[in-house]
Amino acid sequence: MTSTSSSALPDAPEKQGQLLNEYSGHQELVILRRGSLRLREVPSKGSSGAELASVYLAHGTSVTLRSDKAIEITAKIPERREYVLIATSNSEAESWHNAIRAALRAEDVKMNALRQMMEEGATMHKYNYSNSK
C-alpha cells in the first residue's frame, strides 16, 4: 500500500488584495487561502467588511488571464458561477492568475491523494474480526 502523507502535499498559495469586480463595479477584498477564494467588501474604518462570495477551487473550476488585466474565474461547485476581477496592472493580474492556478493544482493533488487513500482503504477498514482472537 502506498500512502501519501500530508507533508508530501504541495502548499496552497495564499494571497490577499483589492481587485475590481467587473460585474458589480466595486473594489473588493479578495482572499485566496486554503483552496478557496473569498470576496469581501473592502473594510471601512471600524468594520471588517461583509463577505460577498466564496468559491471553492475544486475540480471543474477554471481561471483565465485576459489581455485587459482581468482574471476570469468560472466555478462549478457548489453551483456554476463566473467572476471577472480586474487588477491595476498586467503584472498584478498575472500574479493573481498564477496564484489561483497553483491553488487549483494543490487542491487537485490533495483530492487525488484522498481518492487514492479511499481506493486502497485504511487499515482500520481492512481489519478482520478474526485477527483479534
Side-chain angles (χ1 to χ4, degrees):
M1 179 169 111
T2 306
S3 67
T4 305
S5 68
S6 60
S7 62
L9 299 177
D11 290 332
E14 293 189 1
K15 189 168 177 68
Q16 179 174 315
Q18 291 184 26
L19 298 172
L20 178 68
N21 185 325
E22 184 176 80
Y23 298 130
S24 70
H26 295 102
Q27 283 285 116
E28 295 177 359
L29 179 61
V30 182
I31 303 165
L32 175 63
R33 185 180 312 148
R34 294 189 206 120
S36 69
L37 189 72
R38 295 178 18 220
L39 306 175
R40 300 182 66 91
E41 289 179 343
V42 175
S44 59
K45 193 171 189 174
S47 80
S48 61
E51 185 156 322
L52 303 171
S54 183
V55 180
Y56 176 56
L57 301 173
H59 179 72
T61 301
S62 65
V63 60
T64 306
L65 179 61
R66 297 189 339 198
S67 60
D68 58 351
K69 300 183 286 189
I71 305 108
E72 188 174 301
I73 303 160
T74 305
K76 294 182 181 178
I77 297 175
E79 60 192 28
R80 182 166 169 72
R81 293 184 186 173
E82 184 179 283
Y83 301 93
V84 178
L85 304 171
I86 302 170
T88 55
S89 68
N90 286 326
S91 62
E92 182 186 18
E94 189 173 339
S95 174
W96 273 101
H97 175 260
N98 293 341
I100 294 169
R101 282 181 51 119
L104 284 167
R105 283 192 302 273
E107 284 301 304
D108 193 42
V109 168
K110 185 170 91 175
M111 293 309 295
N112 285 335
L114 290 172
R115 186 179 308 117
Q116 180 182 4
M117 184 183 76
M118 289 176 63
E119 288 172 357
E120 293 176 356
T123 54
M124 184 172 81
H125 297 287
K126 290 183 176 181
Y127 186 77
N128 187 338
Y129 175 73
S130 64
N131 292 343
S132 67
K133 293 180 179 180

